[in-house]
Amino acid sequence: MGNELVINTTSHETRIALIENGTIAELYVERSRVKGIIGNIYKGRVVRVLPGMQAAFVDIGLEKAAFLYVADVFDAMDEYDSYIEGEQGDEPMPHPLHPIEELLQEGQELLVQISKEPIGTKGARITAHISLPGRHLVYMPTVDHVGISRRIEDEAERERLKEIVDRIKPVGGGFIVRTVSDGKSEEDLVADLHYLTKLWDEIAKKKDKAGAPTLIHSDLDVTQKVVRDILTESVERIVVDSKPEYDKIVQFISTFMPKMKYSIELYDEEEPIFDHFGLEVEISRALGRKVWLKSGGYIIIEQTEALTAIDVNTGRYVGKHNLEDTILKTNLEAVKEIAYQLRLRNLGGIIIIDFIDMEKEVNREKVYGALEEALKSDKSKTNILKISELGLVEMTRKRVRESLGRMMCEPCPYCEGRGYVKSKISVCHEIFRELRREMLDIRGTKVMLTVHPQVADLLYDEERRGLEELEKNFKKRITVRAKPGFHQEQFEVAVS
């Protein structure tokens, strides 16, 4: 079964699902109130330089100042000696010869680009190494370098593409040749190069005229960006439920990818398009913490501010032969589901996977190899360490935008994001301690205690003895009043 792009567009939201082999593999969401800003270029003003962190904060006009690390500061006097070849997003990594305080001063204006959206409590991450992605090439106007996507493995093809780009590129600028360029003609590359260099000229002119902070260039909207970056020969069909969006996609492809062979359909059935393709159920599943495996085992996914922890359990699966065999099969099944969930949920940063402990080294190697293989289809850069004797795998996955859970959910206002509340018994005992403190200063003979209804039930029943002891010791009458609107941990003590 070929891959498909399913696009749902309304006035307030656009959702794009990449379906691989009949299953949703990636989901992109952009809301009209919160537009994606990755790739946007701003003229910013340095507001603070931090020598101790070798970084600076730059005002680019957003709610929070953006973070600029020293390695992301461009200085024409520096020479860069280390590059990483890869797809768009794996920009050249410079080794600066000067500390941040020699490169930037407070009040200085400079051109920067969003490399990571604001995530959690952190502001946007920015870079002064501008990169402009096209269909076949990524243009880097500040770096004189030509790189080839690591996903193009044929050495002869790599040499052919490098020779073409070396010959046609402007002096001083650099390019990364994207995976989709594999087998493409010089004409295709030249068309992309002309478009990108012209775009950079327009950005440079606008920068000279604009004050800071201001937006200089907006990247494409989510639909155009996904079509540009994901639409390959493996995608057989695009299905979209909006006529304006349909027309826009057709125009975009005919302009920038005229040789692309594809099928695009306008969906006009009454049933919502994501329901028709069975995607809503998968999206809801991707927001849960527990994911069941077909064998009866399951994985638990917990996302924190610093890292994501994934725990593998045998659950209902008891196996057929022996314990080690059961554990191996569960771990191998979990590997495929974990790789799938990382892409679908867009989980990034530090990830710790707690596989079920395996005694045999050969089994640990099998699971590690399976994880490496499963992550090969992931476009985001990953780095995996060997499985420890405790069964733990430490890995990183490049994160440039919020995860699906963080984007579609918010911390529970009831538990304040903890994921739990104090038990009703704990609240009762806390009330007893508070009453002992308050009783010493209460002059009246009656005390009104207002609590959550379920806590009130417990105080009238199992914990009644605690109230009676307080009444006897302090010679005061305690009346319990239930208030439905109270938080389970909330209570009030008042003299009546």
Side-chain angles (χ1 to χ4, degrees):
M1 183 182 294
N3 298 343
E4 298 175 308
L5 279 179
V6 179
I7 304 174
N8 167 227
T9 300
T10 63
S11 60
H12 54 273
E13 181 183 59
T14 296
R15 298 185 299 170
I16 304 174
L18 171 63
I19 300 178
E20 294 181 351
N21 300 317
T23 305
I24 180 173
E26 296 179 17
L27 179 68
Y28 300 85
V29 180
E30 184 172 271
R31 290 167 176 159
S32 56
R33 290 181 57 191
V34 187
K35 291 283 188 180
I37 60 173
I38 291 179
N40 285 3
I41 298 173
Y42 297 81
K43 187 174 184 179
R45 180 181 294 109
V46 179
V47 293
R48 193 177 179 192
V49 177
L50 305 172
M53 294 178 63
Q54 283 301 292
F57 285 103
V58 181
D59 180 13
I60 58 174
L62 301 181
E63 183 180 352
K64 294 180 180 178
F67 182 83
L68 179 63
Y69 184 59
V70 65
D72 294 316
V73 180
F74 173 73
D75 180 3
M77 295 180 65
D78 288 345
E79 293 185 5
Y80 304 117
D81 59 3
S82 178
Y83 296 92
I84 296 177
E85 293 182 353
E87 275 289 355
Q88 179 246 341
D90 291 335
E91 297 89 357
M93 295 297 290
H95 291 274
L97 303 177
H98 306 291
I100 189 83
E101 57 269 28
E102 294 182 16
L103 298 174
L104 298 176
Q105 293 81 40
E106 291 185 10
Q108 181 178 339
E109 296 181 352
L110 72 163
L111 198 66
V112 293
Q113 185 174 35
I114 303 287
S115 58
K116 287 185 182 179
E117 288 187 346
I119 296 175
T121 59
K122 300 176 182 177
R125 175 81 178 260
I126 57 176
T127 177
H129 306 294
I130 307 299
S131 61
L132 301 174
R135 171 65 175 169
H136 300 100
L137 303 170
V138 178
Y139 181 33
M140 303 173 295
T142 63
V143 180
D144 187 2
H145 171 72
V146 174
I148 311 294
S149 168
R150 288 170 296 186
R151 294 179 184 270
I152 300 177
E153 297 179 351
D154 184 82
E155 283 300 325
E157 178 62 8
R158 293 175 66 89
E159 286 299 321
R160 182 186 75 87
L161 293 169
K162 191 172 190 306
E163 186 277 325
I164 292 174
V165 176
D166 274 329
R167 177 161 39 84
I168 66 176
K169 79 178 187 71
V171 177
F175 287 90
I176 293 176
V177 181
R178 306 187 71 177
T179 306
V180 74
S181 298
D182 192 355
K184 293 297 186 289
S185 67
E186 180 173 335
E187 180 186 359
D188 293 323
L189 302 182
V190 168
D192 225 22
L193 182 143
H194 286 165
Y195 163 72
L196 293 172
T197 53
K198 182 179 178 182
L199 177 61
W200 172 246
D201 290 341
E202 293 173 357
I203 290 171
K205 290 176 184 176
K206 189 174 180 181
K207 177 203 71 170
D208 294 336
K209 298 177 182 178
T214 188
L215 174 65
I216 298 295
H217 168 73
S218 292
D219 202 1
L220 303 175
D221 64 32
V222 67
T223 303
Q224 295 170 328
K225 194 180 295 184
V226 168
V227 169
R228 179 194 68 194
D229 296 341
I230 289 183
L231 190 59
T232 63
E233 283 74 10
S234 64
V235 178
E236 293 184 354
R237 185 170 69 139
I238 304 172
V239 188
V240 57
D241 64 356
S242 163
K243 184 61 166 65
E245 201 75 7
Y246 173 92
D247 294 336
K248 187 169 68 174
I249 293 171
V250 171
Q251 178 63 39
F252 182 81
I253 294 176
S254 62
T255 302
F256 295 100
M257 295 172 266
K259 297 182 181 180
M260 185 73 194
K261 294 180 180 180
Y262 67 97
S263 169
I264 181 167
E265 298 176 13
L266 178 62
Y267 180 86
D268 57 1
E269 302 293 331
E270 290 187 5
E271 183 182 22
I273 188 170
F274 268 40
D275 289 341
H276 176 79
F277 283 88
L279 301 178
E280 296 291 8
V281 174
E282 287 297 316
I283 294 171
S284 296
R285 182 170 172 256
L287 297 176
R289 63 188 292 268
K290 178 182 283 190
V291 179
W292 287 98
L293 306 175
K294 290 181 181 179
S295 66
Y298 63 89
I299 61 175
I300 297 290
I301 302 174
E302 294 279 5
Q303 189 177 3
T304 70
E305 185 75 21
L307 55 84
T308 297
I310 302 176
D311 184 33
V312 182
N313 298 277
T314 55
R316 297 189 293 259
Y317 181 55
V318 294
K320 295 181 180 179
H321 301 290
N322 55 62
L323 178 60
E324 183 74 5
D325 185 56
T326 300
I327 290 172
L328 175 60
K329 287 186 177 180
T330 304
N331 283 339
L332 288 175
E333 187 181 7
V335 160
K336 296 180 181 179
E337 187 64 36
I338 289 168
Y340 169 71
Q341 293 293 332
L342 291 179
R343 284 183 68 192
L344 179 57
R345 298 176 186 234
N346 191 36
L347 297 173
I350 299 172
I351 299 166
I352 307 295
I353 306 173
D354 183 9
F355 286 106
I356 307 168
D357 291 349
M358 294 167 285
E359 293 183 1
K360 297 179 180 178
E361 177 66 25
V362 64
N363 289 342
R364 289 200 288 267
E365 288 295 330
K366 283 182 181 178
V367 172
Y368 178 80
L371 182 61
E372 277 192 317
E373 184 65 28
L375 291 172
K376 282 185 178 179
S377 61
D378 194 339
K379 289 184 288 293
S380 292
K381 185 181 178 183
T382 56
N383 182 39
I384 319 169
L385 299 182
K386 290 284 187 180
I387 298 181
S388 71
E389 293 185 1
L390 297 176
L392 298 176
V393 168
E394 299 172 56
M395 64 172 288
T396 59
R397 183 174 185 270
K398 186 165 184 178
R399 175 174 59 185
V400 295
R401 55 190 171 94
E402 283 278 27
S403 67
L404 187 65
R406 290 270 172 84
M407 181 172 55
M408 298 186 68
C409 305
E410 62 184 22
C412 170
Y414 197 88
C415 71
E416 297 177 341
R418 291 176 297 176
Y420 54 85
V421 293
K422 291 179 184 175
S423 68
K424 292 180 282 294
I425 291 178
S426 295
V427 174
C428 288
H429 293 177
E430 186 175 331
I431 288 171
F432 296 156
R433 289 190 291 271
E434 182 64 21
L435 284 172
R436 286 190 181 92
R437 288 189 289 266
E438 294 283 343
M439 291 287 203
L440 297 173
D441 299 323
I442 293 176
R443 296 181 180 179
T445 58
K446 295 182 180 180
V447 176
M448 175 64 74
L449 178 61
T450 306
V451 297
H452 185 276
Q454 292 185 7
V455 175
D457 291 342
L458 203 60
L459 289 171
Y460 277 125
D461 189 12
E462 298 173 30
E463 299 298 325
R464 179 65 195 173
R465 183 178 176 183
L467 284 181
E468 291 175 348
E469 287 183 355
L470 287 169
E471 288 179 324
K472 181 179 179 180
N473 291 339
F474 291 95
K475 296 181 173 54
K476 294 181 182 1
R477 173 75 174 172
I478 301 174
T479 302
V480 178
R481 180 168 69 99
K483 190 169 182 179
F486 264 33
H487 188 292
Q488 183 168 299
E489 297 179 4
Q490 184 181 359
F491 60 88
E492 290 180 355
V493 179
V495 179
S496 62

